[in-house]
Amino acid sequence: MLDNLNQDVSILQPSLQMTDSQVQNRIRQMKMEDPDEQTCYQKFCNLFTIEYYREYFDVTTELVIAKVVNAFNPFSGTFFDIGGGIPELYGPFWILNTLIFTIALSVNIIKYMQLQPGEHFEYQFEIVPFLAIFMYLKTLIVPMIYRVALKCVSQDRLTLLHCFTIYGYSAVVMIPISLLNSIPNPAIQWMLLVYVLFAQTSFLTSNFNQELKYLPKEKKYMIVGLVAVVQITIMILYKFYFFSSFNYQQLGLVKKRMNTHILQHILGAN
Amino acid sequence: MDYTNQKHPQNYSQMEDLKTLDLEESVSETIMRDLRMIAYKLKYVLIPKEQEDNGKELRNWDLWGPLIFCLALAMTLSFKADSTTTSSKSDVFAIIFVLIWVGAFVVTLNAQLLGGKVSFFQSVCLLGYCVFPINIEAIIIAFIGSYLPFVVKLIPVIICFAWSAYSSVGFMASLVPPHKKKLAVYPVFLFYLFLSWFSLIV
């Protein structure tokens, strides 16, 4: 077919004859698009083109909204039935970014509400890079743990990307809860934390349960237990670092003020 | 090219005939030409009624406008930031600068991944020009913000945020296939929301 290229072109446009170099270019272009003919270099460089990643962003608005609404429901195990269970990365990525923004917002709101009457409000942004790194690492590593566990029980229907997708969408419950967390009452904050823990864990376990229905019981419970344990660990880290950090900082400030008073007292006495 | 019908050239490619005169014109003339170009594009982007040709003017993208607005915003906010707080002025400048360029990059990348067939820099140019209302809002709050209660400060913030988002949404939505429009628009919304919140809080 490639040999007849010049002939075909001249039939269609008799006035247009391609030069040899143009023919060679066209042949090279057609070879690049044919996956069997690609060189090793081209196959590797595909990783850096946008077209390679487009298949993971092949979603419509209705699909994303349906998945988000499903993620709020902790008991239905139908997440992988929506849209044919095709894994995608749009949802997890943007839910993650929204979550980082929301938590930064609510930490600053909590700090603002705790202002004493004479103090000037100091916004706190140092927490944002740490928060971002924590969230991104969590979203990268935990699905890998799930995938390894699934591989151990030789369940191959759920690939790594499926794990990324479901883990990313399970974080959507945290968005409204983080906003509500800025209410100053500690009892409400603990209740919200428990609710998030419960909702996220049961969403993940009920969906994994659906996929693992035909496995023997011990293996199933192992997977489900692993999911629950990882979630609890993350939630505890979450609560004791992010939503209490300003407490520790204030303690630090109070200590500093006390030290300066003591120092002045000593110097003044001298 | 015939310049009699145009008030001023809109990009450098229309100015080839003028290039021989560049060395002879004064510096102010050169700078004013660039500023007029930026002002023309700004009016085109921010006032939707000026768009008679459905956004085709945006093909002449340039990054001078976005750079100027980004620097202006970063300088305004770092000027206003107290040096006694835990984030110093240079931190705020760095945060805004990185945020605008990396944010524009990520939002454009998202639109391209969703299937949009637009030039990368065209989209970055548009997002940069739409930062201008947030600039206005930052200047308002920097100068008279300390005398106003919080609720009154929210009003210009919300108006400018809505203006930015509205100007860029029209363009971004036209890039992607119809069933993915909201998916491409949501990151733009998040980007301007974060910038507005930042300028309110600093």
Side-chain angles (χ1 to χ4, degrees):
Chain A
M1 188 195 87
L2 293 172
D3 299 326
N4 293 335
L5 193 60
N6 217 350
Q7 235 178 0
D8 292 332
V9 169
S10 56
I11 288 169
L12 294 169
Q13 287 178 305
S15 57
L16 177 67
Q17 282 265 348
M18 291 212 286
T19 62
D20 273 330
S21 56
Q22 282 175 326
V23 170
Q24 290 301 322
N25 272 338
R26 187 72 185 113
I27 290 173
R28 206 177 305 132
Q29 194 180 353
M30 287 165 84
K31 264 192 188 166
M32 271 190 346
E33 289 158 15
D34 178 6
D36 296 328
E37 290 260 352
Q38 279 178 347
T39 64
C40 189
Y41 174 76
Q42 279 164 342
K43 280 188 203 154
F44 178 70
C45 281
N46 263 340
L47 204 62
F48 296 110
T49 62
I50 288 188
E51 283 74 26
Y52 183 77
Y53 295 103
R54 268 209 186 140
E55 60 172 303
Y56 304 129
F57 280 76
D58 192 17
V59 281
T60 65
T61 314
E62 292 91 23
L63 204 63
V64 170
I65 293 180
K67 284 189 182 177
V68 166
V69 168
N70 190 309
F72 276 112
N73 179 353
F75 296 117
S76 74
T78 55
F79 185 80
F80 288 117
D81 298 331
I82 299 177
I86 300 172
E88 46 118 355
L89 292 178
Y90 175 89
F93 182 67
W94 286 109
I95 288 175
L96 193 63
N97 285 332
T98 314
L99 187 61
I100 292 174
F101 171 61
T102 317
I103 294 178
L105 180 66
S106 83
V107 166
N108 273 303
I109 291 180
I110 293 176
K111 199 150 190 258
Y112 184 75
M113 288 200 183
Q114 285 208 331
L115 271 187
Q116 306 305 324
E119 270 176 28
H120 174 65
F121 171 60
E122 295 175 8
Y123 54 88
Q124 187 184 7
F125 286 127
E126 301 79 45
I127 207 175
V128 174
F130 187 81
L131 179 68
I133 293 174
F134 175 73
M135 290 285 162
Y136 277 110
L137 276 182
K138 174 186 86 154
T139 317
L140 279 176
I141 294 181
V142 174
M144 287 189 200
I145 297 179
Y146 291 162
R147 176 63 191 141
V148 163
L150 285 171
K151 187 89 181 171
C152 287
V153 299
S154 46
Q155 151 70 290
D156 277 330
R157 264 181 41 202
L158 289 181
T159 65
L160 181 62
L161 279 164
H162 280 112
C163 294
F164 275 128
T165 312
I166 193 172
Y167 194 71
Y169 276 100
S170 73
V172 83
V173 184
M174 260 204 257
I175 295 175
I177 302 292
S178 314
L179 286 177
L180 287 175
N181 224 333
S182 44
I183 297 172
N185 191 342
I188 292 186
Q189 287 179 351
W190 275 106
M191 266 172 33
L192 287 172
L193 178 75
V194 167
Y195 173 71
V196 157
L197 182 61
F198 160 73
Q200 209 169 346
T201 315
S202 85
F203 170 71
L204 285 167
T205 51
S206 61
N207 277 303
F208 277 129
N209 232 351
Q210 283 293 105
E211 291 295 314
L212 303 174
K213 265 191 297 213
Y214 44 87
L215 278 186
K217 272 207 173 157
E218 308 82 37
K219 293 191 176 176
K220 204 164 47 154
Y221 287 150
M222 191 179 84
I223 299 280
V224 164
L226 177 73
V227 166
V229 162
V230 169
Q231 277 305 115
I232 292 177
T233 320
I234 289 179
M235 282 296 152
I236 291 180
L237 279 177
Y238 194 66
K239 170 66 178 175
F240 284 110
Y241 193 83
F242 294 118
F243 286 101
S244 312
S245 66
F246 54 88
N247 279 334
Y248 298 141
Q249 280 217 348
Q250 278 196 337
L251 276 176
L253 278 174
V254 164
K255 274 195 200 149
K256 246 199 284 186
R257 266 190 236 130
M258 276 171 55
N259 285 340
T260 35
H261 280 313
I262 292 172
L263 202 58
Q264 280 175 354
H265 188 74
I266 296 173
L267 289 176
N270 285 347
Chain B
M1 281 194 81
D2 181 18
Y3 290 112
T4 50
N5 291 336
Q6 295 170 332
K7 286 186 207 159
H8 45 256
Q10 274 106 51
N11 58 18
Y12 283 109
S13 65
Q14 293 173 349
M15 292 191 287
E16 277 157 12
D17 289 345
L18 295 179
K19 274 193 182 147
T20 48
L21 301 175
D22 271 3
L23 288 174
E24 292 156 6
E25 63 182 17
S26 59
V27 172
S28 60
E29 182 68 35
T30 316
I31 294 181
M32 282 314 293
R33 185 170 65 227
D34 284 332
L35 287 177
R36 259 183 252 131
M37 239 191 322
I38 293 176
Y40 174 79
K41 272 222 195 68
L42 190 66
K43 258 194 301 191
Y44 183 84
V45 162
L46 287 181
I47 303 178
K49 294 202 194 86
E50 303 252 332
Q51 293 179 5
E52 286 138 8
D53 50 358
N54 293 332
K56 292 212 175 61
E57 176 61 31
L58 281 163
R59 280 200 217 128
N60 305 324
W61 56 266
D62 75 295
L63 289 178
W64 281 113
L67 181 67
I68 289 181
F69 299 136
C70 167
L71 286 177
L73 183 65
M75 285 197 294
T76 317
L77 292 178
S78 75
F79 173 72
K80 193 179 163 262
D82 294 329
S83 22
T84 53
T85 57
T86 39
S87 267
S88 67
K89 294 180 188 247
S90 52
D91 281 348
V92 172
F93 187 93
I95 290 176
I96 294 276
F97 196 85
V98 167
L99 197 66
I100 289 187
W101 291 107
V102 171
F105 172 75
V106 168
V107 171
T108 310
L109 195 66
N110 177 69
Q112 283 195 331
L113 280 168
L114 283 174
K117 289 180 181 29
V118 74
S119 138
F120 180 80
F121 285 111
Q122 215 174 313
S123 175
V124 171
C125 165
L126 171 92
L127 288 170
Y129 272 101
C130 288
V131 169
F132 182 69
I134 302 192
N135 239 332
I136 298 181
E137 160 214 331
I139 293 177
I140 293 177
I141 291 183
F143 287 123
I144 56 178
S146 34
Y147 310 115
L148 297 174
F150 185 74
V151 183
V152 178
K153 269 197 278 192
L154 267 183
I155 298 175
V157 169
I158 292 180
I159 294 177
C160 292
F161 162 65
W163 188 11
S164 291
Y166 179 69
S167 321
S168 50
V169 153
F171 179 71
M172 293 304 270
S174 63
L175 293 180
V176 291
H179 44 270
K180 299 184 187 182
K181 279 199 196 311
K182 293 208 183 82
L183 297 183
V185 158
Y186 175 71
V188 176
F189 169 82
L190 201 62
F191 175 60
Y192 288 124
L193 187 68
F194 193 83
L195 279 179
S196 315
W197 173 66
F198 204 99
S199 65
L200 174 68
I201 220 179
V202 166

